[in-house]
Amino acid sequence: MNLVIYILRRLAISIPVLLVGTFLCFVMVAGTGDPLGELRSNPQISKEALAATAHKLGLDQGIIPRYFTWLGHFLTGDWGISIAQGNALAPVAPKVMAAFGVTFKLVIGAEILALVVGVAVGVLAAVKQYSIVDYIATTLAFLLFSMPIFCIAIVLKNYAIEINGWVRDLGLSDILGNPWLRTVSPENLKADGVGDFIASYVGAYLLPTLSIMAISFAAYSRFQRASMLEVLSADYVRTARAKGLSGSRVIFRHAFRNALIPVTTLFSVNFGAVLAGAIITETVFTWHGMGTLLVEAVTKNDTQVMMGWLVVVASMVIAANLIADLAYGILDPRIRVG
């Protein structure tokens, strides 16, 4: 019962936070410039057509009425229309959700892998403190931290081109595909059979996943190591050892669970940042996701698309923090009781 009340309380807090976030996003987007600027520069568009478009978009109203009008439409699934030239007043929702689907599939895999591997390496480094394993993990983490993500992506892309050449020279193209490691978006990717499907999609997702995973892995492993070392020196862990419990039981039964709490916080914050910041990886590997959509919307001052993009990202950040809050309550029951 306490867990259910805790979940409902967190949900109740998240809703007003999301509403405030959407209002701030709306105000900031409204102040970026004239959404009809590109249309005004077109001599073929009459003043009457501009006035009708402005009225249709609610631009002839104040900021507060415009926000509540937009919110009402948004809650019913109407995210507005794209007013950038060349988009033919296309609905925003399908455009944003299609881009979100591309980026989300990429980011969720990279972040889960980074979390699992980072936590495992962090725990191992803490348990084997000052050993060769610890030194290797620390060196690798600092190396990845010091490299910009675009540098990692470009290096991986160049090596992939070399590997594709080796695959072709060894006559493995019929098995793995040619090219196996795709350096561009997997859009319109065709595969014959289950084996070819798996090989093709692994080759398509591997490089951008590793690019995004690299820095997140470094952060998770360092946080997990520091948190694990702090927990291992706690009184209750020393007491458990004094009772004669085995080392594995002390680590996984008593220490590991509490050591996950700081990493859970980092994951919830980092997920939203990675989702919004995937633009670099998408640019290097020519993926048409949220990053490409944002650049296009900002370039054309397409406020409706920008607003949809911001709301989706804000919703994911709040959702990630909500999941983290729920995880706190599972990892440490004292949190949900309090």
Side-chain angles (χ1 to χ4, degrees):
M1 182 60 69
N2 286 335
L3 180 60
V4 174
I5 295 174
Y6 177 77
I7 293 174
L8 292 176
R9 189 166 65 237
R10 289 299 171 184
L11 284 171
I13 294 174
S14 299
I15 293 174
V17 170
L18 181 58
L19 289 175
V20 172
T22 59
F23 177 74
L24 293 176
C25 289
F26 191 88
V27 172
M28 288 187 292
V29 169
T32 57
D34 182 9
L36 301 181
E38 193 171 356
L39 295 178
R40 295 184 197 280
S41 62
N42 190 340
Q44 298 179 349
I45 298 179
S46 64
K47 292 183 179 179
E48 291 76 13
L50 283 172
T53 303
H55 179 72
K56 184 176 182 180
L57 296 175
L59 298 176
D60 53 351
Q61 304 176 14
I63 189 68
I64 301 298
R66 282 169 56 190
Y67 168 72
F68 283 105
T69 300
W70 170 87
L71 182 62
H73 287 298
F74 187 87
L75 293 176
T76 59
D78 179 10
W79 294 16
I81 56 177
S82 175
I83 59 176
Q85 291 190 31
N87 288 340
L89 301 179
V92 168
K95 189 180 183 71
V96 174
M97 293 311 296
F100 172 72
V102 172
T103 302
F104 183 78
K105 287 187 292 185
L106 176 61
V107 169
I108 191 67
E111 282 297 283
I112 290 176
L113 284 173
L115 182 64
V116 172
V117 178
V119 167
V121 171
V123 170
L124 186 60
V127 173
K128 304 286 187 180
Q129 187 181 18
Y130 302 133
S131 67
I132 185 65
V133 174
D134 187 18
Y135 288 131
I136 291 175
T138 300
T139 302
L140 179 61
F142 282 121
L143 179 64
L144 294 175
F145 263 132
S146 64
M147 294 180 65
I149 191 170
F150 73 87
C151 181
I152 297 174
I154 291 174
V155 168
L156 289 175
K157 187 173 184 177
N158 290 336
Y159 275 112
I161 295 173
E162 295 290 334
I163 293 173
N164 286 332
W166 297 340
V167 169
R168 184 179 60 253
D169 294 340
L170 292 173
L172 299 176
S173 299
D174 293 337
I175 300 175
L176 297 176
N178 187 28
W180 174 53
L181 293 175
R182 295 176 61 92
T183 56
V184 294
S185 170
E187 292 179 9
N188 303 320
L189 185 63
K190 296 180 180 180
D192 298 325
V194 177
D196 187 31
F197 177 86
I198 295 174
S200 298
Y201 272 85
V202 168
Y205 277 86
L206 183 60
L207 298 178
T209 297
L210 289 176
S211 300
I212 295 176
M213 175 185 172
I215 295 179
S216 295
F217 158 77
Y220 296 146
S221 65
R222 296 308 298 164
F223 264 75
Q224 184 63 44
R225 178 186 182 275
S227 179
M228 196 70 182
L229 287 174
E230 182 179 355
V231 172
L232 287 175
S233 62
D235 291 339
Y236 68 90
V237 173
R238 287 199 294 265
T239 301
R241 284 174 173 164
K243 289 181 178 179
L245 297 180
S246 64
S248 59
R249 186 175 178 82
V250 170
I251 291 171
F252 294 106
R253 180 74 175 177
H254 296 275
F256 178 67
R257 188 170 176 174
N258 287 330
L260 275 178
I261 294 178
V263 181
T264 302
T265 303
L266 177 63
F267 178 81
S268 66
V269 175
N270 192 59
F271 183 80
V274 171
L275 183 68
I279 177 173
I280 297 174
T281 303
E282 290 178 3
T283 301
V284 173
F285 294 104
T286 325
W287 282 56
H288 302 292
M290 293 288 279
T292 305
L293 180 67
L294 179 62
V295 171
E296 178 185 336
V298 171
T299 302
K300 297 181 178 181
N301 196 25
D302 197 342
T303 56
Q304 297 289 341
V305 174
M306 282 192 282
M307 193 63 208
W309 187 95
L310 287 169
V311 171
V312 168
V313 173
S315 300
M316 291 307 302
V317 171
I318 291 175
N321 280 274
L322 176 61
I323 293 172
D325 287 340
L326 300 181
Y328 297 154
I330 296 172
L331 292 172
D332 190 349
R334 294 174 299 177
I335 296 176
R336 64 173 182 259
V337 171

